[in-house]
Amino acid sequence: MTNHWVDIKNADIILIMGGNAAEAHPCGFKWVTEAKAHNKAKLIVVDPRFTRSASVADFYAPIRTGTDIIFLGGVIRYLLDKDKIQHEYVRNYTDFPFIVREDFTFDSGLYSGYDTPSRSYDKASWDYERGDDGYARIDPTLQHPRTVYQLLKKHYSRYTPEMVERVCGTPQAAFLKVCELLASTSTPDRAGTIMYALGWTQHSIGSQIIRTGAMVQLLLGNIGVSGGGMNALRGHSNIQGLTDLGLMSDLLPGYLTLPREGEQDFNQYIESRVQKPLRPNQLSYWQNYKKFHVSLMKAWWGDAAQADNNWAYDYLPKLDKLYDMLQVFELMSQGKMNGYIAQGFNPLAAAPYKSKLLDGFSKLKFLVIMDPLVTETSEFWRNVGEHNDVDAAQIQTEVFRLPTSCFAEEDGALVNSGRWLQWHWKGAEPPGEAKTDIEIMALLFTRLRALYRAEGGKFADPVLKLWWPYANPENPTPEELAKEYSGRALADLADPKDASKVTRKAGEQLAGFAELRDDGSTISGCWIYAGAWSTQGNLMARRDNSDPTGVGQTLNWAWSWPANRRVLYNRASCGLDGKPFNPRRSLVSWNGKAWVGADVPDYKLDENPAGGMGPFIMNPEGVARFFARKSMAEGPFPEHYEPFETPLGYNPLHPKESRATSNPAARVFAGDLAAMGKAADFPHVATTYRLTEHFHYWTKHVLLNSILQPEQFVEIGEDLARDLGIANGSMVKVSSNRGYIKAVALVTKRLKALAIEGKPVHQVGIPIHWGFVGVAKPGFLTNTLTPSVGDGNTQTPEFKSFLVQVEKA
Ligand SMILES: Nc1nc2c(c(=O)[nH]1)N[C@H]1C(S)=C(S)[C@@H](COP(=O)(O)OP(=O)(O)OC[C@H]3O[C@@H](n4cnc5c(=O)[nH]c(N)nc54)[C@H](O)[C@@H]3O)O[C@H]1N2
Ligand SMILES: Nc1nc2c(c(=O)[nH]1)N[C@H]1C(S)=C(S)[C@@H](COP(=O)(O)OP(=O)(O)OC[C@H]3O[C@@H](n4cnc5c(=O)[nH]c(N)nc54)[C@H](O)[C@@H]3O)O[C@H]1N2
Ligand SMILES: [Mo]
């Protein structure tokens, strides 16, 4: 989230699109209720299904799955056309006036630089034109035909209300009503928020859908203001912490990035991440990259990380490719992996294309499961008839189960969607043989290290020299780890302006990332968490919810990254003069000497706004981007591409012979592509989703939850049920090109056929929660059906849009 849960109460307009917060985030949803009750906020829901969120909305619009870029691109066109944009904001705080290179082109759905065999782009032309001074060229009048503004207008001119109706199936009147409501927040005194989750992320163009939403918010001046923002409703209680701490295959903690194979040289690695300002007097905060990186390497390898070995740069793996889960399961099914550890992960249930996973797991030598419960993955080898039809005698994989505790049986911090690190305390000891994940990982590490010490091995140093300074090496405490990721000084730190003054004594916890150094004198295991545990103690454990300004910032409740700031980019809530656009809900302001206010300013505290420094200090241009430059796989402006399994078979935006039907830059493995189905055989569009009564695949172990939602069902619209002669409550078979499931038919008014390109398209809704372990009625795994293709940037699987055939069982 750019903002946070409580702040949703400040919104005037709330768009829930690509999520179902009333169902999947019922506690956080109370802030929507607050906004409606106290702020007269209007709630809009856009979803293929009439959901629990829709049932309390002021306005609902249906949409075909996977077509949100057309819808949102249509909103962009509407806002530009009707001049419903916040002018001062857009002109000064975005890249509108920046001039794009002449060789940048877009034609028949493809951007300049496309290479068909590798399905990827040479992105050189996706950039600004540079002046003789080295800075990006701009035209403040916005008249130059290659300003980002002009290119944006041209790009989305194709996204007309007629196109929205044709491709999304959303009636024009409903679409225009949504536009009108959103447009009402283009004035400085009104704010709108977007709440989204998997309905946007789980598509082969998911990241670009989210960007399009962010572009709508920028046009409306809704980023950096209270009641605004792009608010990703995260899933598991600590999934925000997972990405923060760099558990993606290409990340390091704090969104630093792992080097690629071609980056063997340390200085080159740093230089390519330290971005010089693209306009005069901009901060470009990533210029501090080296300080964060060196402090991380010191936290990991201590004395073994020194200037003369480039802070142990050789110890870091250099990626030849991404190792996301789709890649891993591809390698596994090719027989290229010996072992796999599933820690708090039930991939057989959670990953797409189940039969491919069964094949892969069967080829492993060993499989380790760290989990408090029995999972389908831990019993992938068990034949349970139709629900898991395997030949157990042929499977040689050795499975180890390591029982773990769960969050309620340990102390520690969880990071919520709003970036708050909230400390919690255990309520009970773990039962039986269960140990915490920390203890198990520490035991694995210390034993592996002992083996390396005794027997040696290839490239042992990264293991042997890992810094492990914990009182009990076999069980580090959450407190020790928290102090380490927050960070401390290893030597006395001198004031950079006056070397005779010591600002921080050796051994002291740091107050924040501004104190980090690139000379090895500080450690921080995650720079964005620096200051969470300061000399004042564990700030994550704070529980003071006082809110002196009434805007809901509660700065003394827990601790929020970065720097305890609650709303990112909050400098953008003020005009060029430093005065709030909306004094009624002020976050920060310039008092003539400093930035002050209800939130921690996202800016240099003493920076006079007259100097012209932009509010988006992480970007080298100082402003927000409509034109993403080289940061996305598919191109600088989001373009609609059909799901890989498309009911149309072509992209209505492009000439029919165009190669750009589905995401041309998505990575897709040959076998997975061959397993895609066609509309002729699988005419119904399916999507998958969750229910309040279950949490994924584990609450089916709980009797009460299993009583509330006892067995797998699929939602089918009344018109489709009539066509197929399916009665409510009868059994149906749902097949894709990868397998089939059987389930109870729930015939409903919540799903209706949409008219797409003049033809009716039926959508089918499939909840994800059932499987073959637990006390609920045994069922099929929904992911028997789903296709194995990921978003072009994150590789999040396309769980939300694929083709099936429904028939009577
Ligand atoms: N009770 C409960 N709560 C949970 C979870 C749980 O299992 N149970 N899981 C947690 C986790 S890990 C996560 S990630 C979150 C997920 O939270 P959500 O993303 O809100 O959950 P989903 O139900 O997967 O999907 C949300 C909605 O997206 C819609 N949708 C599908 N395709 C499209 C599309 O193309 N466009 C649009 N606009 N909408 C579409 C679906 O119809 C569905 O209503 O929930 C978390 N909360
Ligand atoms: N078709 C389809 N597939 C989906 C989705 C979808 O919308 N549609 N959603 C996807 C999403 S967003 C998600 S997040 C995944 C969820 O997929 P998973 O994360 O695999 O599913 P869970 O059942 O939430 O959790 C996995 C295991 O973690 C264990 N666990 C709980 N606490 C702890 C702990 O403290 N330590 C350890 N070691 N284990 C613990 C639980 O017992 C459980 O067995 O599913 C994905 N798959
Ligand atoms: Mo999730």
Side-chain angles (χ1 to χ4, degrees):
M1 286 184 169
T2 57
N3 295 37
H4 56 93
W5 284 108
V6 181
D7 181 64
I8 291 168
K9 74 171 184 176
N10 294 317
D12 298 294
I13 296 286
I14 299 163
L15 173 64
I16 296 184
M17 184 166 175
N20 182 10
E23 183 99 37
H25 299 87
C27 298
F29 192 80
K30 77 168 177 233
W31 298 106
V32 176
T33 311
E34 293 273 328
K36 279 167 67 86
H38 301 299
N39 218 16
K40 297 201 177 74
K42 293 270 180 289
L43 171 64
I44 311 165
V45 171
V46 182
D47 198 294
R49 302 179 301 131
F50 187 84
T51 60
R52 275 177 166 156
S53 303
S55 73
V56 288
D58 297 280
F59 193 74
Y60 163 75
I63 186 171
R64 169 168 69 101
T65 65
T67 64
D68 296 60
I69 290 179
I70 301 243
F71 191 107
L72 296 163
V75 175
I76 291 175
R77 181 181 182 276
Y78 175 98
L79 297 175
L80 291 171
D81 229 40
K82 303 271 188 263
D83 197 24
K84 292 287 185 185
I85 63 178
Q86 194 182 325
H87 284 272
E88 187 181 349
Y89 188 103
V90 172
R91 277 173 185 270
N92 299 312
Y93 299 161
T94 78
D95 59 1
F96 256 29
F98 284 62
I99 297 173
V100 171
R101 275 169 59 147
E102 204 167 354
D103 53 352
F104 168 75
T105 61
F106 176 74
D107 183 29
S108 301
L110 292 172
Y111 289 94
S112 36
Y114 190 63
D115 176 54
T116 306
S118 67
R119 296 182 57 83
S120 67
Y121 283 98
D122 171 353
K123 302 178 181 176
S125 62
W126 304 0
D127 207 352
Y128 309 127
E129 208 166 89
R130 302 297 168 92
D132 297 334
D133 54 5
Y135 288 126
R137 285 187 55 211
I138 63 169
D139 173 14
T141 71
L142 307 181
Q143 295 307 308
H144 190 291
R146 288 200 318 280
T147 50
V148 169
Y149 165 67
Q150 297 288 352
L151 292 178
L152 181 83
K153 212 164 69 168
K154 185 162 161 235
H155 190 86
Y156 292 104
S157 61
R158 299 166 296 140
Y159 288 60
T160 59
E162 296 75 29
M163 188 62 89
V164 171
E165 181 166 300
R166 265 175 60 193
V167 187
C168 307
T170 315
Q172 276 190 54
F175 166 72
L176 291 171
K177 174 78 182 169
V178 174
C179 290
E180 208 178 286
L181 286 167
L182 292 174
S184 75
T185 68
S186 65
T187 57
D189 61 336
R190 281 173 63 82
T193 183
I194 294 184
M195 298 165 68
Y196 73 92
L198 304 180
W200 277 4
T201 56
Q202 290 177 338
H203 293 283
S204 49
I205 46 167
S207 304
Q208 293 281 21
I209 299 178
I210 296 160
R211 274 210 88 234
T212 325
M215 286 160 70
V216 168
Q217 289 295 65
L218 283 175
L219 288 175
L220 294 166
N222 279 339
I223 298 284
V225 304
S226 66
M230 277 302 285
N231 293 311
L233 314 183
R234 307 297 312 255
H236 284 106
S237 59
N238 198 29
I239 199 67
Q240 181 66 46
L242 179 140
T243 37
D244 295 348
L245 286 166
L247 270 81
M248 313 295 282
S249 76
D250 58 338
L251 290 184
L252 289 168
Y255 304 94
L256 307 180
T257 49
L258 264 178
R260 294 293 179 134
E261 214 170 31
E263 295 180 308
Q264 299 293 335
D265 183 87
F266 176 64
N267 292 322
Q268 250 174 357
Y269 164 78
I270 295 291
E271 255 161 49
S272 68
R273 281 141 180 94
V274 171
Q275 302 190 5
K276 298 209 176 63
L278 277 167
R279 293 291 305 158
N281 195 34
Q282 300 307 319
L283 195 57
S284 189
Y285 202 76
W286 281 115
Q287 289 187 99
N288 293 298
Y289 192 97
K290 192 174 178 190
K291 297 175 188 167
F292 311 148
H293 182 81
V294 172
S295 299
L296 168 68
M297 299 301 274
K298 290 298 288 183
W300 282 0
W301 281 294
D303 280 346
Q306 294 293 342
D308 59 14
N309 71 349
N310 293 322
W311 313 104
Y313 185 64
D314 288 350
Y315 293 180
L316 283 182
K318 314 289 183 295
L319 287 176
D320 62 337
K321 51 177 167 287
L322 288 178
Y323 286 87
D324 55 277
M325 72 167 174
L326 299 183
Q327 177 75 256
V328 165
F329 296 132
E330 172 69 16
L331 291 171
M332 207 183 272
S333 73
Q334 290 177 14
K336 290 185 180 157
M337 285 176 71
N338 289 323
Y340 186 73
I341 303 181
Q343 180 182 11
F345 183 27
N346 185 0
L348 192 68
Y353 197 179
K354 180 199 168 199
S355 63
K356 178 174 177 176
L357 265 81
L358 276 180
D359 179 47
F361 287 137
S362 307
K363 289 176 178 158
L364 291 174
K365 293 201 176 96
F366 67 92
L367 173 65
V368 181
I369 308 290
M370 290 173 60
D371 206 291
L373 298 168
V374 171
T375 65
E376 278 79 9
T377 306
S378 71
E379 302 209 333
F380 81 91
W381 44 268
R382 192 157 67 93
N383 187 308
V384 289
E386 226 181 352
H387 296 144
N388 198 49
D389 189 8
V390 292
D391 184 355
Q394 294 302 310
I395 299 171
Q396 299 303 313
T397 312
E398 192 171 359
V399 180
F400 300 87
R401 281 181 181 153
L402 305 178
T404 68
S405 58
C406 77
F407 74 97
E409 295 155 352
E410 61 203 30
D411 297 343
L414 297 168
V415 190
N416 74 3
S417 304
R419 294 168 286 103
W420 299 1
L421 284 74
Q422 303 190 91
W423 198 263
H424 65 92
W425 294 266
K426 68 175 150 191
E429 293 302 323
E433 292 181 314
K435 293 185 190 309
T436 66
D437 289 83
I438 295 177
E439 187 175 3
I440 295 175
M441 295 307 282
L443 285 166
L444 280 174
F445 168 70
T446 49
R447 283 170 201 206
L448 275 171
R449 186 177 57 181
L451 275 172
Y452 269 108
R453 272 187 189 145
E455 300 171 13
K458 253 191 211 165
F459 199 35
D461 279 358
V463 177
L464 292 178
K465 295 188 172 162
L466 197 71
W467 197 29
W468 205 256
Y470 313 109
N472 175 2
E474 297 197 334
N475 197 5
T477 64
E479 289 79 6
E480 284 173 313
L481 296 172
K483 285 180 191 164
E484 180 180 308
Y485 61 62
S486 183
R488 64 175 178 273
L490 293 174
D492 288 354
L493 302 183
D495 186 338
K497 291 186 199 111
D498 175 359
S500 67
K501 265 199 239 150
V502 168
T503 53
R504 186 68 64 197
K505 285 218 166 61
E508 269 181 16
Q509 289 294 116
L510 303 174
F513 48 74
E515 288 186 274
L516 295 175
R517 305 274 167 109
D518 61 10
D519 60 3
S521 58
T522 56
I523 64 162
S524 170
C526 184
W527 73 275
I528 55 176
Y529 289 176
W533 195 308
S534 71
T535 50
Q536 295 160 38
N538 182 357
L539 302 185
M540 301 170 277
R542 294 181 301 176
R543 289 296 183 271
D544 170 2
N545 67 353
S546 52
D547 177 23
T549 62
V551 286
Q553 294 300 78
T554 60
L555 293 183
N556 295 316
W557 177 279
W559 188 87
S560 177
W561 74 260
N564 200 31
R565 179 171 303 126
R566 307 287 158 141
V567 175
L568 297 177
Y569 318 117
N570 57 33
R571 157 69 182 92
S573 66
C574 297
L576 286 177
D577 57 3
K579 297 207 176 73
F581 285 126
N582 181 359
R584 213 161 39 89
R585 293 193 288 245
S586 168
L587 291 173
V588 296
S589 62
W590 173 250
N591 70 6
K593 290 197 184 76
W595 287 88
V596 294
D599 200 359
V600 177
D602 195 350
Y603 209 52
K604 255 173 89 180
L605 288 184
D606 58 356
E607 180 71 25
N608 191 320
M613 182 184 286
F616 291 86
I617 56 175
M618 302 306 286
N619 283 349
E621 41 293 62
V623 294
R625 295 178 189 154
F626 286 97
F627 186 80
R629 299 178 64 209
K630 302 173 190 186
S631 60
M632 306 293 286
E634 303 78 3
F637 293 128
E639 173 72 358
H640 167 74
Y641 300 107
E642 285 286 304
F644 267 74
E645 290 193 335
T646 155
L648 297 178
Y650 60 91
N651 188 331
L653 281 175
H654 308 148
K656 284 209 175 161
E657 65 282 5
S658 160
R659 289 161 293 170
T661 299
S662 301
N663 183 351
R667 179 204 65 199
V668 51
F669 300 113
D672 296 345
L673 199 56
M676 297 283 172
K678 293 259 182 317
D681 310 314
F682 302 97
H684 309 128
V685 172
T687 193
T688 58
Y689 51 89
R690 34 198 44 70
L691 306 169
T692 301
E693 294 81 359
H694 276 300
F695 199 89
H696 300 147
Y697 316 104
W698 36 315
T699 50
K700 59 181 154 55
H701 287 283
V702 182
L703 191 58
L704 263 180
N705 300 67
S706 301
I707 290 169
L708 285 170
Q709 288 286 5
E711 88 176 285
Q712 175 79 54
F713 63 88
V714 299
E715 289 191 79
I716 299 170
E718 288 176 340
D719 31 10
L720 178 61
R722 205 175 310 119
D723 287 358
L724 300 175
I726 291 169
N728 189 28
S730 66
M731 290 299 284
V732 287
K733 183 175 176 188
V734 182
S735 317
S736 78
N737 205 30
R738 291 157 294 274
Y740 68 88
I741 68 168
K742 289 177 185 167
V744 174
L746 192 133
V747 178
T748 173
K749 293 186 195 325
R750 293 191 290 260
L751 277 163
K752 291 208 161 69
L754 299 174
I756 309 293
E757 294 269 74
K759 280 178 269 168
V761 169
H762 295 281
Q763 302 193 92
V764 178
I766 313 175
I768 60 173
H769 300 293
W770 289 274
F772 57 84
V773 304
V775 296
K777 193 162 177 195
F780 291 80
L781 291 167
T782 295
N783 281 322
T784 307
L785 301 172
T786 47
S788 178
V789 59
D791 167 73
N793 302 277
T794 61
Q795 309 304 336
T796 299
E798 191 150 60
F799 288 129
K800 288 283 186 272
S801 199
F802 55 98
L803 295 177
V804 296
Q805 185 189 25
V806 182
E807 58 199 320
K808 280 187 186 171

